Amino acid sequence: MSSSFFLKTKENPKFAKKGKNTAGTKRKGDVDPTGKGKLRAKKSSSKYNEEISSDSETESATAPKKRQSTEQIEYEETPQEKKLRLAKLYLEQLKEEEENKAEEASFETDLIAGRLQEEVLEQRGKLQRLIAKDLIPPDPSEIRMFRGHKLPITCLVITPDDKYIFSAAKDCSIIKWDVESGKKIHTIPGGRKGTEDRHVGHTAHILCMAISSDGKYLATGDMNNLIMIWEAESCKHLYKFTGHKGAVSGLSFRKGTHDLYSASHDRSIKVWNVDENAYVETLFGHQDSITGLDSLSRERCVTAGGRDGTVRVWKIAEESQLVFHGHEGSIDCIQLINEEHMVTGADDGSVCLWSVNKKKPLSTVKRAHGCHGDAGIEQPHWVSSVAALQNSDTIASGSHNSEVNVWKCGQNYRGLQPLFSVPVSGFVNSLKFSSSGQFLVAGVGQEHRLGRWWRLKEAKNGIYVIPLKRKPSDPEETKSAE
């Protein structure tokens, strides 16, 4: 047989595995007495050495049959086995990468879990971030003052991104400030009485303002019973809401929506839809002028009823209200801490903490800002404004005793402890914490926002930006935490 046929049998494993003798071929391992066959096989293998695969190289004439089949099985790899091998290799690489990132991944997982837990607690109104213990009094030189209004500041709001402040005053003007530079970004001038038809803006004292949680709309209310809606970005006038029969004294947007709640000296609360430029409904219940209003994400709002001595929680969807009693004087200001707790201030000088589940205050601090007057006929300083850092244990109160007091709430909001006071001269008519908790803004004037009972000539009408400084972290604690 020719050498080409001999090579074909060697290249093809099918033939190589069969141990049969065919015509003109020798079984591997047979000895040729003449030696010619062996010589011919050697020549053929050397001639085709570079072209023949490694399968045929293992099939040398001297290799045992058992060893040859073992080597052949070890080498051969099916497509499925190749996929499996590559998959294992890929998994090993992933494992190595994941081990390197294990610490970081664990930290991120903890963060996500913590965030979800916080959101659940926030919705239930039980979230209380313990921030107060780390706060320290600011240096007086670090407190900045912005001046631009001619008459006392009555109200202010901070944009959700903490970049801008809107303030309003008895001069009927609205000013947009840049927090970082302290410069005026935009001014909406006030108009004179009798120019309502041609003036775009307010022509009476502005008592309250609110900004939507997405920073799109700004709402302002005045003593002419009007509510005006502005585009916060450009300060462009959009709508005018009429319907109240008394001065508009409280405004708040429901968090996450463009539903607006308004309170008035006409003792009513109205609900508006700003997107639709529409009135929704009116709620009644207070027996005297409403002096303040606030809301968060639930479909409800809270109000301070002035001389009727009540705080009320209005459940809009259920068309019901909860009534709370506690102060001895006129309740002039109110602020929600979270969905379940709130803080109020009154002209009897007291600051109260409330839970929506209890009719009486959880905690009351009487004469929170001290007293004034001659001995024997002393009168407490009125609490004219309160603010709360949302979902935390930190609140602030303002009066006309030249100080803003910062307080720490006790466990489960039972108890109030004074942290420190910040020197501010004048009537503190409005207080707001920034969303980040990095600063507190006070709107100050020579007169109380609701009247002219006193006038402090030494005071200046302006906005104070008070930084909230934290204690430096202990390096040893940080190291041990790591």
Side-chain angles (χ1 to χ4, degrees):
M1 225 28 172
S2 65
S3 62
S4 62
F5 180 80
F6 175 73
L7 285 171
K8 280 179 184 176
T9 59
K10 287 192 75 178
E11 286 175 350
N12 193 336
K14 191 174 178 182
F15 291 115
K17 284 180 183 177
K18 291 178 183 178
K20 293 180 182 178
N21 283 325
T22 53
T25 59
K26 291 180 186 261
R27 184 165 38 183
K28 293 171 187 65
D30 290 351
V31 179
D32 186 3
T34 61
K36 290 179 182 178
K38 193 175 181 182
L39 250 162
R40 186 166 54 181
K42 279 183 183 176
K43 282 182 183 178
S44 301
S45 63
S46 62
K47 181 178 178 182
Y48 294 95
N49 191 39
E50 292 179 11
E51 298 176 14
I52 295 173
S53 68
S54 55
D55 288 340
S56 57
E57 286 175 6
T58 59
E59 299 174 2
S60 62
T62 56
K65 184 176 180 180
K66 189 176 181 180
R67 184 181 165 194
Q68 166 199 325
S69 60
T70 306
E71 287 179 2
Q72 202 170 5
I73 291 165
E74 281 178 1
Y75 178 78
E76 285 180 358
E77 186 180 42
T78 63
Q80 289 82 3
E81 287 171 340
K82 186 177 181 182
K83 284 181 183 177
L84 183 64
R85 179 173 59 81
L86 292 174
K88 284 180 179 177
L89 188 64
Y90 178 62
L91 286 172
E92 284 176 8
Q93 289 174 352
L94 283 181
K95 186 180 178 182
E96 191 177 342
E97 287 175 12
E98 287 304 312
E99 282 174 358
N100 294 335
K101 294 179 181 178
E103 195 172 324
E104 186 181 342
S106 175
F107 180 65
E108 286 177 2
T109 305
D110 291 343
L111 278 180
I112 293 166
R115 178 69 182 273
L116 290 172
Q117 189 177 7
E118 278 193 1
E119 285 182 2
V120 170
L121 289 172
E122 185 177 351
Q123 288 168 4
R124 291 180 182 173
K126 294 181 180 179
L127 179 61
Q128 186 181 24
R129 294 192 186 96
L130 304 178
I131 295 170
K133 60 183 173 59
D134 296 325
L135 295 178
I136 56 175
D139 193 288
S141 62
E142 295 175 327
I143 299 171
R144 296 182 295 155
M145 186 182 186
F146 303 164
R147 294 196 65 190
H149 292 285
K150 295 175 183 177
L151 293 177
I153 313 296
T154 54
C155 53
L156 59 87
V157 291
I158 307 170
T159 56
D161 59 9
D162 292 348
K163 290 183 179 179
Y164 305 103
I165 298 169
F166 287 93
S167 63
K170 288 186 177 182
D171 60 11
C172 314
S173 67
I174 302 167
I175 299 178
K176 182 179 181 179
W177 307 85
D178 182 274
V179 173
E180 193 173 345
S181 66
K183 294 180 180 178
K184 295 179 188 176
I185 302 297
H186 200 284
T187 301
I188 302 169
R192 291 184 180 181
K193 190 176 181 180
T195 62
E196 292 86 358
D197 294 338
R198 58 183 182 273
H199 178 73
V200 179
H202 292 279
T203 56
H205 296 178
I206 301 170
L207 296 182
C208 54
M209 66 194 326
I211 192 165
S212 59
S213 56
D214 60 358
K216 183 178 181 181
Y217 295 118
L218 176 74
T220 52
D222 68 12
M223 293 190 75
N224 271 352
N225 317 341
L226 296 176
I227 299 169
M228 293 198 180
I229 308 297
W230 311 83
E231 189 180 75
E233 180 68 28
S234 63
C235 295
K236 178 186 174 184
H237 182 262
L238 299 175
Y239 314 122
K240 183 189 290 184
F241 291 163
T242 59
H244 279 296
K245 296 176 183 177
V248 181
S249 55
L251 288 169
S252 180
F253 280 95
R254 182 183 169 198
K255 192 176 178 182
T257 73
H258 293 145
D259 294 338
L260 178 68
Y261 304 124
S262 64
S264 170
H265 287 178
D266 66 8
R267 299 177 292 177
S268 73
I269 292 156
K270 291 187 186 290
V271 185
W272 313 83
N273 186 318
V274 177
D275 281 330
E276 303 293 332
N277 186 18
Y279 158 77
V280 179
E281 63 178 316
T282 303
L283 308 169
F284 295 95
H286 278 292
Q287 303 303 308
D288 193 36
S289 300
I290 302 172
T291 53
L293 177 146
D294 195 24
S295 68
L296 287 176
S297 56
R298 287 184 184 173
E299 196 175 353
R300 59 172 62 177
C301 63
V302 296
T303 54
R307 293 264 164 222
D308 77 359
T310 65
V311 171
R312 300 188 185 227
V313 176
W314 302 82
K315 298 181 178 181
I316 311 297
E318 294 92 332
E319 296 183 354
S320 64
Q321 57 186 283
L322 304 175
V323 185
F324 304 83
H325 296 268
H327 289 284
E328 295 173 3
S330 172
I331 307 169
D332 290 342
C333 46
I334 187 167
Q335 181 89 44
L336 280 163
I337 304 170
N338 57 31
E339 298 286 4
E340 298 279 328
H341 299 90
M342 53 195 166
V343 58
T344 56
D347 69 0
D348 61 4
S350 62
V351 173
C352 290
L353 281 178
W354 306 78
S355 166
V356 297
N357 301 314
K358 292 191 179 292
K359 298 291 184 181
K360 296 289 181 182
L362 296 175
S363 177
T364 301
V365 177
K366 293 185 176 181
R367 300 186 176 188
H369 285 262
C371 296
H372 64 96
D374 298 329
I377 53 170
E378 295 172 340
Q379 292 294 319
H381 286 105
W382 296 3
V383 178
S384 52
S385 58
V386 290
L389 183 54
Q390 270 184 28
N391 300 309
S392 79
D393 62 344
T394 308
I395 65 170
S397 62
S399 183
H400 61 280
N401 67 327
S402 302
E403 285 182 347
V404 169
N405 289 348
V406 180
W407 307 83
K408 175 188 175 183
C409 301
Q411 186 71 28
N412 296 323
Y413 298 98
R414 295 183 181 275
L416 269 176
Q417 301 169 7
L419 282 177
F420 54 83
S421 296
V422 181
V424 172
S425 178
F427 281 86
V428 182
N429 289 323
S430 185
L431 282 171
K432 286 287 185 294
F433 282 97
S434 64
S435 301
S436 62
Q438 296 299 312
F439 58 91
L440 171 67
V441 182
V444 180
Q446 293 180 332
E447 301 168 354
H448 192 283
R449 77 183 183 102
L450 297 176
R452 304 188 68 182
W453 299 282
W454 297 281
R455 183 177 173 83
L456 303 175
K457 292 182 180 179
E458 69 276 9
K460 295 177 180 178
N461 302 316
I463 294 169
Y464 289 84
V465 179
I466 304 162
L468 296 174
K469 299 174 69 178
R470 264 76 166 174
K471 292 176 185 175
S473 58
D474 191 347
E476 291 184 6
E477 286 183 12
T478 308
K479 193 173 180 181
S480 61
E482 289 174 357

